[in-house]
Amino acid sequence: KASPLVGVFQAGYFEVNQQVRGGGTGPATGAKPTVRSLESLSRSLARAAGVEATRLERRLSFLATTASVGPFIGLFGTVWGIMDAFGDIGRMGSANLAVVAPGISEALITTAMGLVAAIPAAVFFNFFSSRVKVLSSMMDDFALEFLNIVERNFT
């Protein structure tokens, strides 16, 4: 049920069923059931594949945003922390390591946290993006094969 191919199949099956039932053919008339429009079926399959692809891509933008913005947020925190460290140097009038090191160390934590968020987000974005591409290709192939089967059996 979770496969995107299910939605594509259901859309195609519904369209074929509508066309076959509406054609006045079947066991009562003795004629072979036929599909009136392969173009309509093709559009139905393409629309369903688009809907499924959109559903699969729904959360990818969050991962992309996290991967691209995380380091900048960390950098902003680092700049802010270093500004505070320089402020402390100015207030104390001393630039020795004991005054500067704690502020800079604290400032670098935000960069680390930004990278901790961004790196896994980038990895998962790339993984899921490639998975969506594979599934989209599978849906396209499935739709073409569905059309071939319908053309062979219902025209």
Side-chain angles (χ1 to χ4, degrees):
K1 182 87 178 164
S3 172
L5 297 177
V6 171
V8 176
F9 173 79
Q10 287 175 337
Y13 181 81
F14 178 78
E15 183 65 26
V16 168
N17 203 21
Q18 291 294 103
Q19 288 190 28
V20 168
R21 282 188 185 172
T25 60
T29 62
K32 177 184 172 189
T34 60
V35 171
R36 292 186 309 258
S37 171
L38 285 175
E39 291 81 22
S40 175
L41 176 58
S42 179
R43 284 190 305 269
S44 179
L45 291 168
R47 187 187 66 72
V51 166
E52 292 296 326
T54 300
R55 185 178 64 84
L56 290 171
E57 293 170 345
R58 184 178 51 219
R59 303 270 195 269
L60 285 179
S61 62
F62 174 75
L63 288 174
T65 302
T66 302
S68 62
V69 172
F72 293 116
I73 292 173
L75 180 61
F76 177 73
T78 299
V79 169
W80 193 276
I82 289 174
M83 286 177 9
D84 277 348
F86 281 125
D88 290 343
I89 291 171
R91 279 189 295 280
M92 294 185 176
S94 172
N96 66 24
L97 191 57
V99 173
V100 178
I104 292 177
S105 172
E106 190 176 301
L108 291 174
I109 290 172
T110 60
T111 298
M113 290 300 107
L115 293 174
V116 163
I119 292 169
V123 169
F124 285 116
F125 173 79
N126 289 329
F127 173 77
F128 288 124
S129 290
S130 67
R131 201 62 195 124
V132 166
K133 286 178 187 174
V134 167
L135 288 169
S136 292
S137 177
M138 286 174 61
M139 286 186 291
D140 292 342
D141 292 345
F142 180 82
L144 292 173
E145 188 61 29
F146 191 95
L147 280 169
N148 287 340
I149 290 169
V150 168
E151 187 172 21
R152 276 194 303 264
N153 294 300
F154 293 104
T155 58

